[in-house]
Amino acid sequence: MPVVTLDKLVALQRNAEDVRNICILAHVDHGKTSLSDALIATNGIISPKLAGKIRYLDSRPDEQLRGITMESSAISLCFSMARRTAAEEQPVQKDYLINLIDSPGHVDFSSEVSTASRLCDGAVVLVDAVEGVCSQTVTVLRQTWIEHLKPILVINKIDRLVTELKMSPGEAYIHMGKLLEQVNAVLGSFFQGERMEEDLQWRERVEERVAAAAAKEQEKMLQRKADAANGVNDDDIASETTASTNGEFEERDDEDLYFAPENNNVIFSSAIDGWAFTVRQFATLYEKKLGIKRSVLEKVLWGDYYLDPKTKRVLSSKHLKGRALKPMFVQLVLDNIWAVYEATTGGVKGKGDAGMVEKITKSLSLTIPPHILRSRDPRALLTTLFAAWLPLSTALLVSVIEQLPAPPGAQSSRLPALIDASPGASYIDPLVRDAMINFKTATSDPVVAFVSKMVAVPTSELPQNKRRGGMLTAEEARDMARKKRAEIAKSQAFSNEELPNGLSGITEALASTNLHGDEETNGLVTEQKEDAEHLIGFARLYSGTLTVGDSIYVLPPKFSPATPHATPEPQRVTITALYLLMGRGLEPLISVPAGVVFGIGGLEGHILKSGTLCSQLEGSVNLAGVSMGSEPIVRVALEPVNPSDLNKMIDGMRMLEQSDPCAQYEVLESGEHVILTAGELHLERCLKDLRERFARCEIQAGEPIVPYRETIVSTSEMGPVKTKDIPRGSVLGVTTSKQISVRIRVRPLPISVTEYLEKNIGATRRFYAEIKAAEESRGTDKSSEEMIDIDGSSGDNAQNINRLSISDFKRELTEAFHEAEEQQDYWPDVVDDITAFGPRRTGPNLLIDHTRSRICRRFLQETQKETLEADRSLDTSASSTVSPEAFSDKISYAFQLATAQGPLCHEPIRGIAVFLEDVTVSSTADEDASGRDNLGRLTGEVIKTVRDSIQQGFLDWSPRLLLAMYSCEVQASSEVLGRVYAVITRRHGRILSESLKEGTPFFTISALLPVASSFGFSDEIRKRTSGAASPQLRFHGFEMLDEDPFWVPSTEEELEDLGELADKENVAKGHMDKVRARKGLMVTGRKMVKDAEKQKTLKR
């Protein structure tokens, strides 16, 4: 294969119509990297013989060891093909630039898929022909739908249907047809969901127009009555109302949405054997032989169409007249593929049939080298024959060029929706919007680039530090030899068994050190510099041209063009380097035009994970809302083995947080340094990077910190009410000074309300941000409310921010309350009385003001006028006495504290409502004058009293723990099914479903597994099944463990069966005690010494 030069790739970047930015997406082990190898081999980077074996884009050693991709990596390829400018003209050779991004398929690295898809215009989605649609396949298809990428489907590993499942061509055709239906069903579900949402929005708009028309007519009627008119013509009202509803809902056409071989967006392939084809290729082959036009053959080669052997005419199924004919796809395509496998790897002992091979090569006019024909390896003959007949790279890259859009066309269709969904979209400069959508590349046009992630690269791998050419100069060789001799001399001096005696030995040691001290020091410093890690931005340029030395603004993730100078104000940085991404290496660039995926230097310390680059500040656009697919759930506390390496570990963790799209670094209140990762495999990779690349010191990891949630339920087994005269959950709290008493009542929220609040966390966060912004604009002093800085906005992404209005939110929340049928009588009109959400001001818990004077401000105020009136009614600054209204913000703060740390094990609370029923302030005569002065002292007392009262009311019900759960999907054959079940059951998992994949011997098992029991689960499954099954774990949510952690046996039967302690049976108490012990809280019922025996006796 000819080697493509760097200059040629750089020249191709200038013609945007000949550029394609694609990413390869699939489930784990479906053949993404093997497919990439076949494409890379076309540019002479690797040998075609090693394609599928070397896994070139898996540049990490652990990726090669495990055989899976962990980081998305990019490479630029050149592909030449002959194209006709017109039907009658001769084909002209044309070069295209393919910017290819290979992404991971493991669920732990879903964030890498998100970062890759945002930079591309099209996607190649792979599906294993045997395993079919898996969990991650659905995820990557959803990602293409969200990012508006045009996909191409590749049905890979068709060779397994021949060699493993031993299917006939007819059976394989039926199997692939069903697989295609499954993939299209996934796309159809996305389309249907979006269509239903659009239909609902259209109906709401129609209702609004009808209501507006009716209100307008009502105003006219009142005006006419006031003017003593003769009456109102009802026909006019009806006609106007009807006119407003005449607009019909326009159905979107989904014809081009689905995959269909006749549309040439489906490729059949075997990446490991190096072949692939589309229906168009075979239509071209049979066009002259059958005398049928290629365009007609493309439509009938796939589907229920048959070829009459006598008349050579195409028949549909209804014209068969009982004849047993094969479908055209089987007869003309699959039979030939199967014949090649039979001729090369079939026959006796898998040696193939030489005569059949000769017949096939003659009929296809193929030339096979003689040494391949004489080879004893049948696979060498198989791959050579297929490479000459149906090369994989040709089929795939031709489809990419013909089916996937170039950057100008892709940006005009994709970017309007992305720009409109960005923060402060109405304030974006029209010039910036026009430059991005219309793909303007002049140097005078605005520059907009998106950095999807930061990549850590060793200093020695940077182009300026790499050697050009393979030979060392004489001076460099002498310098290297001198350093090597110094290292050898030093090691010999310290490895001698007998050290030099007396001062002479010391003199010799010092002399040997001085001889080469400077050189050794320089060598060590150079080595240390080469080992340092640099962060390179993984970016896509949308408009303008970027050149080394340009100065550009870096917009933070929370930037909005509505307030461009808000804190933190965007910084202006200078671009120090631009790189062409070439898989394992980087090539330097001077400038980059729009539409190219590239690397960018100079952003280290300015971008945490992702960000937007813009040449102007006012009117710029923020594109940093990337959905990461899965939030980090596994937390582990780290500490260095050598305490003096603490600073190195902290610096390394900060660099890891910048370079990994999903990893997060936190410092807990206890001083622990915690890293958050997406799963066990992701954690293992992060620890390896910390030890070997970023921190370069020994680090030990503690036990994984698993999140829990606390809640309450109403059950018949609850204990008696603590105070008989008041309802359950009611608490009267009195401060230590006896000056303020607070009466509250805690109740469990209906499940429908809790689920609605969790689903709309983005909406409540936005409401709070709007209230805070309004207060700042009015200059309202809310310092007491800001005593706790609860940052709940760091996890925002484009999907979580639900653009609900306050009125819609109130209406839907009221409907959720009405769904709780048995408790409807207790939840009348509580939505208007909501004061706060918690914890983090956005959680699924409610603080409801039921006091007579309504001392707290309403959270869901629909208009600014209502908010101003509420603030005036609560303003007590002019009063000299202390009133209950003065403590409204303190009570809200105490509610946040109480729901952030529950009474069971200091985990967040979920699904409770706290009713504030009364606040009484009693003061003596001599304290009236100094009431306002005592406010500071009373603040702490009120916060502590309310927090303790909420926790006391919480424990009046039956408490429950909510366990973090993984949804587990395992594909296994019937031979190892029992072993998979045994492992899941032993780890307290629950089987949800088991289904046999039709046409295969594989079962798909879906289960729920507690996160606390999941560590080591994947390794155990693989060991028990000898590698025949591998699970995929995805965070599912929290599920209640229906067991009271404070339950103790009380009846005679329970005491007889379980004993007095029953500690082995109470799983909830085990979880609670484990978390309390880790946090240093008191564990009740735990004995330090069970059997009081002498220690001396135990030692003997």
Side-chain angles (χ1 to χ4, degrees):
M1 292 290 177
V3 178
V4 179
T5 62
L6 175 63
D7 295 336
K8 187 174 184 179
L9 293 175
V10 173
L12 289 174
Q13 289 182 345
R14 303 297 168 185
N15 190 357
E17 291 295 337
D18 297 338
V19 176
R20 299 293 185 273
N21 298 314
I22 64 170
C23 55
I24 301 181
L25 310 175
H27 188 76
V28 65
D29 287 334
H30 278 200
K32 297 179 297 301
T33 309
S34 300
L35 189 77
S36 304
D37 278 359
L39 304 183
I40 293 170
T42 61
N43 279 223
I45 298 174
I46 61 174
S47 168
K49 295 180 181 179
L50 297 177
K53 302 173 184 177
I54 194 172
R55 300 199 304 275
Y56 182 77
L57 292 181
D58 287 349
S59 55
R60 295 171 56 98
D62 48 354
E63 288 179 325
Q64 292 285 341
L65 184 64
R66 289 181 176 271
I68 63 172
T69 305
M70 296 185 185
E71 287 183 352
S72 55
S73 52
I75 191 168
S76 296
L77 304 174
C78 175
F79 179 66
S80 299
M81 63 178 290
R83 304 199 71 175
R84 300 176 189 267
T85 55
E88 58 277 354
E89 293 186 7
Q90 291 294 324
V92 179
Q93 201 75 12
K94 194 173 184 180
D95 292 335
Y96 291 88
L97 177 67
I98 310 292
N99 292 318
L100 174 72
I101 302 179
D102 183 27
S103 62
H106 196 281
V107 67
D108 280 9
F109 308 108
S110 297
S111 57
E112 295 280 350
V113 177
S114 305
T115 58
S117 59
R118 175 57 67 92
L119 302 180
C120 297
D121 302 318
V124 178
V125 180
L126 270 71
V127 178
D128 191 318
V130 176
E131 295 182 5
V133 177
C134 299
S135 59
Q136 201 66 5
T137 310
V138 178
T139 302
V140 298
L141 285 172
R142 183 181 292 111
Q143 193 69 34
T144 62
W145 181 267
I146 292 170
E147 296 289 346
H148 305 286
L149 302 180
K150 187 174 182 182
I152 288 179
L153 179 66
V154 177
I155 300 178
N156 194 26
K157 299 190 180 183
I158 295 180
D159 59 289
R160 295 182 66 188
L161 302 180
V162 186
T163 57
E164 289 184 24
L165 301 185
K166 308 292 183 184
M167 285 185 176
S168 66
E171 292 170 341
Y173 169 71
I174 296 172
H175 178 78
M176 288 189 287
K178 291 179 178 177
L179 175 60
L180 198 58
E181 291 176 1
Q182 293 174 6
V183 177
N184 284 332
V186 174
L187 289 177
S189 66
F190 300 153
F191 174 79
Q192 189 65 20
E194 192 170 283
R195 186 238 171 238
M196 291 175 65
E197 186 176 351
E198 290 175 353
D199 185 29
L200 178 62
Q201 293 173 356
W202 175 80
R203 292 179 186 278
E204 289 177 350
R205 287 195 298 269
V206 169
E207 290 174 0
E208 288 175 2
R209 287 199 297 268
V210 170
K216 186 177 180 181
E217 290 301 326
Q218 186 71 17
E219 290 178 4
K220 287 182 179 180
M221 188 168 60
L222 293 174
Q223 185 67 28
R224 287 170 185 172
K225 285 182 179 179
D227 296 341
N230 292 329
V232 180
N233 189 352
D234 295 336
D235 295 336
D236 294 340
I237 300 174
S239 63
E240 187 168 346
T241 305
T242 306
S244 65
T245 59
N246 277 341
E248 294 183 358
F249 178 67
E250 296 181 3
E251 290 279 358
R252 277 173 49 194
D253 185 18
D254 62 342
E255 184 179 352
D256 298 331
L257 173 68
Y258 301 109
F259 296 114
E262 58 267 24
N263 294 336
N264 290 294
N265 58 5
V266 178
I267 301 172
F268 305 89
S269 80
S270 170
I272 195 69
D273 290 339
W275 61 266
F277 66 88
T278 60
V279 166
R280 177 170 291 178
Q281 284 179 267
F282 275 91
T284 306
L285 289 174
Y286 287 107
E287 182 180 11
K288 293 182 179 179
K289 187 175 183 179
L290 299 178
I292 303 174
K293 289 184 179 180
R294 190 186 73 176
S295 58
V296 176
L297 272 177
E298 287 179 12
K299 302 298 180 186
V300 300
L301 261 181
W302 177 269
D304 292 332
Y305 296 99
Y306 305 86
L307 184 67
D308 192 329
K310 295 181 180 179
T311 63
K312 301 295 183 183
R313 295 182 62 184
V314 178
L315 306 175
S316 61
S317 55
K318 62 182 179 181
H319 294 106
L320 284 179
K321 298 179 181 179
R323 288 182 292 178
L325 298 180
K326 295 180 180 179
M328 291 182 67
F329 191 78
V330 176
Q331 183 181 356
L332 302 180
V333 179
L334 294 186
D335 279 350
N336 295 323
I337 302 288
W338 260 245
V340 172
Y341 275 97
E342 180 65 25
T344 54
T345 60
V348 182
K349 297 182 181 180
K351 298 294 184 181
D353 186 347
M356 196 173 177
V357 169
E358 185 178 357
K359 184 179 178 182
I360 290 173
T361 53
K362 285 184 178 179
S363 63
L364 296 174
S365 302
L366 302 177
T367 303
I368 307 296
H371 71 278
I372 297 293
L373 292 172
R374 295 192 301 269
S375 173
R376 294 184 178 181
D377 183 11
R379 286 196 56 79
L381 178 59
L382 173 73
T383 54
T384 305
L385 201 156
F386 270 127
W389 180 33
L390 299 172
L392 185 150
S393 57
T394 302
L396 183 59
L397 293 179
V398 168
S399 298
V400 164
I401 291 168
E402 293 181 347
Q403 298 295 323
L404 300 185
Q411 290 188 195
S412 63
S413 60
R414 285 183 66 208
L415 288 188
L418 290 177
I419 294 173
D420 292 339
S422 64
S426 58
Y427 294 90
I428 296 174
D429 189 346
L431 292 176
V432 174
R433 180 188 289 267
D434 181 62
M436 294 176 67
I437 295 176
N438 296 325
F439 198 78
K440 296 188 176 179
T441 60
T443 54
S444 58
D445 291 318
V447 175
V448 178
F450 175 66
V451 180
S452 68
K453 70 170 185 174
M454 302 295 288
V455 182
V457 179
T459 307
S460 56
E461 296 294 326
L462 295 177
Q464 58 266 30
N465 297 327
K466 295 181 74 172
R467 176 177 306 284
R468 297 293 173 185
M471 297 290 291
L472 289 173
T473 64
E475 184 62 31
E476 288 172 338
R478 283 192 294 270
D479 187 51
M480 181 177 290
R482 193 181 304 117
K483 292 176 182 177
K484 289 293 182 184
R485 285 196 297 271
E487 292 175 7
I488 294 171
K490 183 177 179 181
S491 61
Q492 287 178 348
F494 284 98
S495 62
N496 289 335
E497 294 183 1
E498 294 183 6
L499 294 175
N501 294 324
L503 293 174
S504 60
I506 297 174
T507 306
E508 290 177 8
L510 290 173
S512 64
T513 303
N514 288 334
L515 284 173
H516 308 289
D518 295 337
E519 296 174 0
E520 288 181 66
T521 304
N522 293 335
L524 290 173
V525 170
T526 305
E527 185 179 358
Q528 186 176 0
K529 284 184 180 178
E530 289 180 351
D531 289 338
E533 298 281 340
H534 283 263
L535 293 175
I536 305 297
F538 196 31
R540 158 79 182 266
L541 191 61
Y542 287 105
S543 65
T545 300
L546 197 61
T547 308
V548 175
D550 285 353
S551 184
I552 197 165
Y553 285 101
V554 178
L555 309 182
K558 299 179 185 177
F559 173 83
S560 173
T563 55
H565 297 283
T567 306
E569 188 168 351
Q571 298 178 340
R572 199 173 183 93
V573 299
T574 301
I575 305 302
T576 58
L578 295 172
Y579 302 103
L580 180 68
L581 303 171
M582 293 298 294
R584 301 185 180 187
L586 300 170
E587 297 293 340
L589 296 174
I590 298 174
S591 66
V592 171
V596 175
V597 177
F598 63 100
I600 181 169
L603 303 179
E604 190 168 350
H606 298 284
I607 290 183
L608 179 59
K609 293 183 180 295
S610 64
T612 309
L613 308 179
C614 196
S615 56
Q616 64 185 59
L617 187 57
E618 286 78 8
S620 54
V621 59
N622 182 10
L623 300 173
V626 179
S627 171
M628 287 306 164
S630 61
E631 293 295 323
I633 187 66
V634 178
R635 297 185 296 172
V636 174
L638 306 180
E639 63 177 4
V641 175
N642 186 356
S644 61
D645 292 333
L646 179 61
N647 289 332
K648 292 172 64 176
M649 187 192 78
I650 292 173
D651 294 340
M653 292 177 78
R654 285 174 180 159
M655 180 167 279
L656 173 68
E657 185 182 22
Q658 292 182 64
S659 63
D660 194 299
C662 193
Q664 295 179 13
Y665 166 52
E666 289 182 356
V667 180
L668 301 184
E669 295 179 357
S670 59
E672 292 177 293
H673 297 272
V674 172
I675 185 172
L676 285 80
T677 60
E680 193 175 2
L681 182 60
H682 187 210
L683 172 65
E684 188 176 333
R685 192 198 76 179
C686 290
L687 291 177
K688 181 180 177 65
D689 284 347
L690 270 178
R691 291 177 179 131
E692 298 180 2
R693 298 175 60 189
F694 301 133
R696 298 182 184 276
C697 64
E698 286 299 318
I699 296 174
Q700 57 186 12
E703 289 292 323
I705 304 171
V706 179
Y708 293 85
R709 295 292 183 267
E710 302 178 18
T711 190
I712 51 176
V713 293
S714 177
T715 61
S716 57
E717 294 84 8
M718 288 187 298
V721 181
K722 294 181 180 179
T723 307
K724 296 182 179 180
D725 299 335
I726 57 178
R728 184 181 294 275
S730 296
V731 179
L732 180 62
V734 183
T735 60
T736 52
S737 63
K738 303 293 190 290
Q739 191 172 349
I740 300 172
S741 60
V742 181
R743 189 172 78 245
I744 64 167
R745 187 180 182 190
V746 179
R747 281 186 62 87
L749 276 175
I751 296 176
S752 57
V753 177
T754 305
E755 291 176 350
Y756 178 78
L757 292 176
E758 287 185 328
K759 178 181 162 186
N760 291 281
I761 280 179
T764 55
R765 180 179 294 129
R766 181 166 53 84
F767 297 154
Y768 175 72
E770 290 172 357
I771 292 172
K772 189 175 178 182
E775 289 173 355
E776 290 176 354
S777 65
R778 296 198 308 267
T780 308
D781 182 14
K782 293 289 180 182
S783 57
S784 57
E785 228 181 80
E786 297 304 322
M787 288 187 300
I788 181 171
D789 183 16
I790 302 174
D791 184 11
S793 59
S794 58
D796 277 354
N797 56 49
Q799 286 180 303
N800 285 345
I801 299 179
N802 191 351
R803 295 294 176 184
L804 278 175
S805 65
I806 289 184
S807 58
D808 291 339
F809 182 82
K810 290 172 67 174
R811 175 176 51 79
E812 294 178 7
L813 185 58
T814 305
E815 292 173 0
F817 273 111
H818 287 325
E819 290 181 18
E821 297 177 359
E822 70 279 0
Q823 298 177 344
Q824 250 185 24
D825 55 341
Y826 196 84
W827 306 101
D829 303 327
V830 295
V831 175
D832 292 329
D833 295 334
I834 293 176
T835 297
F837 298 86
R840 295 179 176 266
R841 307 190 189 279
T842 58
N845 304 290
L846 300 178
L847 176 62
I848 300 168
D849 184 7
H850 267 192
T851 56
R852 291 183 180 178
S853 57
R854 297 294 191 264
I855 66 170
C856 295
R857 183 184 59 185
R858 303 295 174 270
F859 185 84
L860 300 175
Q861 300 288 352
E862 295 189 30
T863 63
Q864 190 173 2
K865 182 179 178 182
E866 293 178 8
T867 306
L868 288 170
E869 291 175 356
D871 285 345
R872 289 193 194 102
S873 64
L874 298 178
D875 189 9
T876 59
S877 58
S879 176
S880 61
T881 59
V882 178
S883 63
E885 287 79 4
F887 299 100
S888 60
D889 53 346
K890 285 76 177 175
I891 293 171
S892 175
Y893 174 75
F895 168 74
Q896 301 294 338
L897 287 179
T899 52
Q901 292 186 339
L904 297 183
C905 49
H906 283 198
E907 291 290 323
I909 292 176
R910 172 183 181 269
I912 68 168
V914 179
F915 292 88
L916 181 63
E917 296 184 340
D918 187 32
V919 178
T920 306
V921 179
S922 58
S923 58
T924 58
D926 56 345
E927 287 179 342
D928 288 341
S930 60
R932 301 299 301 177
D933 300 333
N934 292 330
L935 186 59
R937 173 178 58 82
L938 294 175
T939 294
E941 294 184 5
V942 170
I943 291 173
K944 181 179 182 300
T945 302
V946 174
R947 185 194 63 187
D948 294 345
S949 299
I950 292 173
Q951 294 183 348
Q952 187 178 342
F954 181 96
L955 294 175
D956 207 6
W957 298 85
S958 183
R960 292 287 187 273
L961 275 180
L962 294 165
L963 305 183
M965 302 295 287
Y966 277 137
S967 62
C968 171
E969 184 178 284
V970 186
Q971 283 201 350
S973 60
S974 56
E975 290 83 6
V976 297
L977 204 59
R979 301 175 192 172
V980 172
Y981 273 33
V983 175
I984 294 175
T985 307
R986 192 186 307 99
R987 291 177 175 267
H988 307 289
R990 187 174 78 254
I991 305 294
L992 298 179
S993 65
E994 172 200 312
S995 58
L996 176 65
K997 281 193 174 292
E998 195 171 349
T1000 70
F1002 295 103
F1003 288 84
T1004 299
I1005 305 157
S1006 297
L1008 285 180
L1009 188 73
V1011 175
S1013 307
S1014 67
F1015 301 102
F1017 173 73
S1018 300
D1019 289 339
E1020 186 177 0
I1021 283 273
R1022 281 192 286 268
K1023 288 176 183 176
R1024 295 283 182 181
T1025 62
S1026 301
S1030 182
Q1032 286 276 298
L1033 299 176
R1034 177 181 294 278
F1035 183 62
H1036 177 74
F1038 290 90
E1039 186 176 273
M1040 183 186 298
L1041 180 60
D1042 196 10
E1043 193 171 356
D1044 191 337
F1046 298 116
W1047 177 84
V1048 291
S1050 55
T1051 64
E1052 291 185 4
E1053 294 179 356
E1054 292 172 347
L1055 288 169
E1056 184 177 349
D1057 292 341
L1058 305 174
E1060 293 182 1
L1061 295 178
D1063 50 353
K1064 292 183 180 179
E1065 295 295 328
N1066 197 331
V1067 180
K1069 187 176 188 304
H1071 285 292
M1072 183 183 73
D1073 289 348
K1074 188 176 180 181
V1075 177
R1076 292 184 69 89
R1078 177 175 58 79
K1079 293 184 175 182
L1081 305 174
M1082 185 181 69
V1083 179
T1084 57
R1086 184 176 65 173
K1087 294 183 179 180
M1088 299 302 294
V1089 179
K1090 286 187 177 180
D1091 301 317
E1093 297 181 6
K1094 292 182 179 180
Q1095 297 300 313
K1096 290 182 179 179
T1097 308
L1098 294 176
K1099 284 184 179 180
R1100 287 179 182 174

